[in-house]
């Protein structure tokens, strides 16, 4: 029998330790490299933190699998068993430019089902966490279940980079949605934008393309509060591939999909 309470406590402890390492790094010069393009950034801290988690997990849970943004984990072809999905620093561009508005994101899944979600806003020392069926929390405080709302009264988090991807996606399809909402916001960290949905600070979050480690933890936290997390076609997420993302309060999720997203080839 898997002791999920133990994994949950252990994972939170490692996240706090990783956060402390990141805070210490503010005193030293970062080593910054680019990945797929000039704006796709990675630092020595992204790599060090991922390797920190991997060495801890391999030591204590050698049978578990690991999917990590920086590629030090396993090359997975299935989600069978227990899989840790880790984004050591989500919002790397913010981390480099702002030293804030980034988070550690860690999800633990069993046979593709989210069991634990932990997102740590290192600078604010705010730990958002949930274990399936056990409630969701910010530090020690319970988060309240999400309630229904309308698009007219909603703030929607989205990122303007979709205008750059118009060869693939007709971004004009987003205009009615943006006009209908009360307001839009963009924060530059998918993990934080997902916890903002969980905490009710925004009502929905849309992204054209994210990877499994960006959303694994946030999906557990939002679903624990009754919110919905799918791709922009309304389909269940596939944690083995990049996909679009659409997280929202109950009711709002269905109505945005029906009224604003169904024409799009997301
Ligand atoms: P990162 O900082 O870990 O790279 C920014 O809007 C959000 O999208 C961040 O969470 C960022 O994660 C993620 N992101 C940026 N570029 C991406 C890409 N090419 N593929 C997937 N996710 C990306
Ligand atoms: Ca990320």
């Amino acid at each position: 029998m898997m002791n999920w309470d133990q994994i949950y406590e252990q994972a939170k402890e490692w996240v706090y330790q990783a956060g402390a390492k990141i805070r210490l790094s503010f005193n030293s010069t970062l080593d910054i490299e680019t990945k797929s393009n000039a704006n796709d950034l990675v630092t020595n801290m992204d790599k060090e933190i991922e390797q920190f988690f991997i060495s801890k997990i391999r030591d204590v849970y050698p049978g578990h699998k690991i999917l990590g943004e920086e590629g030090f984990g396993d090359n997975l072809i299935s989600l069978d068993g227990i899989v840790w999905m880790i984004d050591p620093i989500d919002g790397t561009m913010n981390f480099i430019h702002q030293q804030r508005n980034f988070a550690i994101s860690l999800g633990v899944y069993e046979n593709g089902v989210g069991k634990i979600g932990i997102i740590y806003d290192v600078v604010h020392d705010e730990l958002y966490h949930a274990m399936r069926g056990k409630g969701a929390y910010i530090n020690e405080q319970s988060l309240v279940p999400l309630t229904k709302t309308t698009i007219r009264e909603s703030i929607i988090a989205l990122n303007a980079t979709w205008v750059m991807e118009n060869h693939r996606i007709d971004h004009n399809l987003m205009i009615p949605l943006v006009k209908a909402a009360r307001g839009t916001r963009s924060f530059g960290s998918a993990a934080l934008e997902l916890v903002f949905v969980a905490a009710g600070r925004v009502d929905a979050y849309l992204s054209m393309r994210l990877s499994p480690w960006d959303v694994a933890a946030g999906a557990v936290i939002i679903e624990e509060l009754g919110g919905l997390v799918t791709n922009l076609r309304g389909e269940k997420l596939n944690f083995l591939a990049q996909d679009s993302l659409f997280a929202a309060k109950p009711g709002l999720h269905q109505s945005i999909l029906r009224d604003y997203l169904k024409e799009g080839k997301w």
Side-chain angles (χ1 to χ4, degrees), residues 114-128:
K115 299 287 273 189
I116 290 169
I118 301 171
I119 294 175
Y120 187 36
D121 179 340
V122 172
V123 172
H124 293 111
D125 191 24
E126 287 175 338
L127 190 82
Y128 298 83

Side-chain angles (χ1 to χ4, degrees), residues 69 87 89-92 159 188-190 209-211 214 242:
E69 169 151 34
D87 195 341
I89 299 182
D90 185 56
T92 300
N159 186 322
S189 157
R209 191 182 60 215
L210 289 174
S211 297
D214 294 318
Q242 284 197 333

